[in-house]
Amino acid sequence: MSTNTPIRVSVTGAAGNIGYALLWRIASGDCFGSNQPVILQLLEIPPGMERLQGVIMELRDSAFPLVHDIVGTDNPEIAFNDADAIFLVGSRPRTKDMDRSDLVAANGPIFVGQGKAIDTVASRDVKVITVGNPCNTNALIASANAPSIPPRQFTAMTRLDQNRAVGQMAERAGVPASKVKNVFIWGNHANTMYPDPRCGTVDGQSATDLFESDWLQGDFLDIVSTRGKAIIMARGASSAASAAAAAVDHMRDWWQGSNGHIVSVAIPSEGWYGVPEGIVFSFPCRCENGEIIVVDDLPIDTFTQSKIDENVAALLEEREAVSELLGN
Ligand code: NAD
Ligand code: LMR
């Protein structure tokens, strides 16, 4: 696609907290490139429409040169019409007393109707990122309800978890985050996730040489995997700006390439590393030419295998809990 032809980018929950941070990053060219015009197609539910009108007013007032048009609607078939990229954000966040998986009853059904609408009206090449929690299983629900779109085009976001892992390593080593490469997440965006340090480098040095294994398998793992709750406790609301930044990183790398680096993408398993087919699982990936390529030949030690197994069990349980939403 020529970079001067506008692409259609849909964002659901566009009047919410993540939407408010995400839209400005997309509009400024941070995600799809500084020469790529966009048409923003924003979805809300009826009670959010007035707030959405205010967001659209502010977007227009920002006079972004790359924004060619803005559509605000409560109809998914208008929001996803011919969409080239879709950010599925709209859904309820958890509160202090909940796990993310507790949201599936409230949020899961949203992704049935939205999956069907994507199937009907989106571009056949659409790239979908699911942010709304529990994001792995919501991506599965959306994909299952969009049978004419290949499952690989439906992903879920574990990039925030990767960025948290990078942030922790950078802080401990006293270097900028840009010096930390190739740390990635296995599994579910849940407390079972595993931030794998074994390919990681910090300023060119192996992360497993630099940091003690007690820290990597102890505080580092605990901080990264429970960071979402810690933010909710501290802020009184779930992460928003960092979530938007991670969604931009995820989609930017998918769209423009990850420059050979390993990044975390949750995608429907095709059996990689023995993970059962179909469940949306975060793997080490590289992005090239608009494709996500799972790095499928990393050695797996006993600890990593036990974490993979734990995540598989949790995701199979979530899949069972939503079986009636999967359309088969
Ligand atoms: P928010 O409550 O501020 O905003 C959500 C917005 O979605 C609201 O404006 C609401 O009206 C809208 N909405 C609800 N149902 C909708 C539907 N069916 N269609 C379209 N819009 C709908 O919440 P937020 O802070 O923006 O978080 C959104 C979701 O993202 C939550 O589920 C949260 O848990 C999740 N999240 C995921 C990650 C991640 O790393 N995967 C990180 C942070 C937040
Ligand atoms: C996060 O990781 O910050 C989000 O998934 C929000 C949450 O509920 O933890």
Side-chain angles (χ1 to χ4, degrees), residues 107-122:
N107 289 342
I110 294 172
F111 297 85
V112 174
Q114 293 186 357
K116 289 187 167 113
I118 291 169
D119 198 48
T120 310
V121 299

Side-chain angles (χ1 to χ4, degrees), residues 46-104:
M49 285 306 288
E50 191 177 348
R51 227 171 41 253
L52 181 60
Q53 289 315 320
V55 171
I56 292 174
M57 281 154 67
E58 280 203 78
L59 278 168
R60 293 197 194 286
D61 295 348
S62 302
F64 286 113
L66 291 173
V67 176
H68 280 214
D69 198 6
I70 307 174
V71 176
T73 179
D74 59 7
N75 180 342
E77 293 206 357
I78 295 174
F80 300 144
N81 188 33
D82 282 338
D84 300 293
I86 299 179
F87 295 78
L88 294 177
V89 180
S91 52
R92 226 187 104 178
R94 65 172 160 162
T95 46
K96 290 178 181 172
D97 48 335
M98 295 171 88
D99 281 330
R100 296 184 189 94
S101 57
D102 297 333
L103 289 169
V104 79

Side-chain angles (χ1 to χ4, degrees), residues 5 60 93 109 120 137 159 162 180 276 297-298 308:
T5 308
R60 293 197 194 286
T120 310
T137 294
R159 187 59 173 265
Q162 174 184 318
V180 182
D297 58 356
L298 297 182
I308 291 175

Side-chain angles (χ1 to χ4, degrees), residues 13 16-18 44 51 89-92 114 131 133 157 189 239:
N17 286 307
I18 295 175
E44 260 298 339
R51 227 171 41 253
V89 180
S91 52
R92 226 187 104 178
Q114 293 186 357
V131 175
N133 277 321
M157 185 168 95
H189 178 60
S239 62

Side-chain angles (χ1 to χ4, degrees), residues 112-238:
V112 174
Q114 293 186 357
K116 289 187 167 113
I118 291 169
D119 198 48
T120 310
V121 299
S123 158
R124 299 301 85 184
D125 296 323
V126 67
K127 292 176 167 46
V128 182
I129 172 176
T130 311
V131 175
N133 277 321
C135 61
N136 297 55
T137 294
N138 288 338
L140 171 70
I141 297 169
S143 169
N145 285 281
S148 69
I149 310 266
R152 272 175 169 257
Q153 292 170 225
F154 285 85
T155 64
M157 185 168 95
T158 49
R159 187 59 173 265
L160 177 55
D161 309 304
Q162 174 184 318
N163 288 350
R164 288 167 171 164
V166 167
Q168 289 303 310
M169 285 189 178
E171 188 181 359
R172 190 164 178 92
V175 298
S178 61
K179 299 286 186 192
V180 182
K181 309 277 191 219
N182 298 324
V183 179
F184 65 89
I185 304 296
W186 292 101
N188 195 8
H189 178 60
N191 292 0
T192 49
M193 75 178 75
Y194 176 43
D196 190 332
R198 295 172 306 140
C199 301
T201 57
V202 180
D203 215 358
Q205 197 183 344
S206 156
T208 49
D209 288 346
L210 185 64
F211 303 118
E212 325 78 76
S213 59
D214 279 0
W215 182 72
L216 289 169
Q217 293 184 7
D219 285 355
F220 170 72
L221 174 53
D222 289 347
I223 290 170
V224 172
S225 60
T226 60
R227 189 68 152 190
K229 178 66 89 54
I231 305 265
I232 293 173
M233 300 306 278
R235 230 171 69 82
S238 79

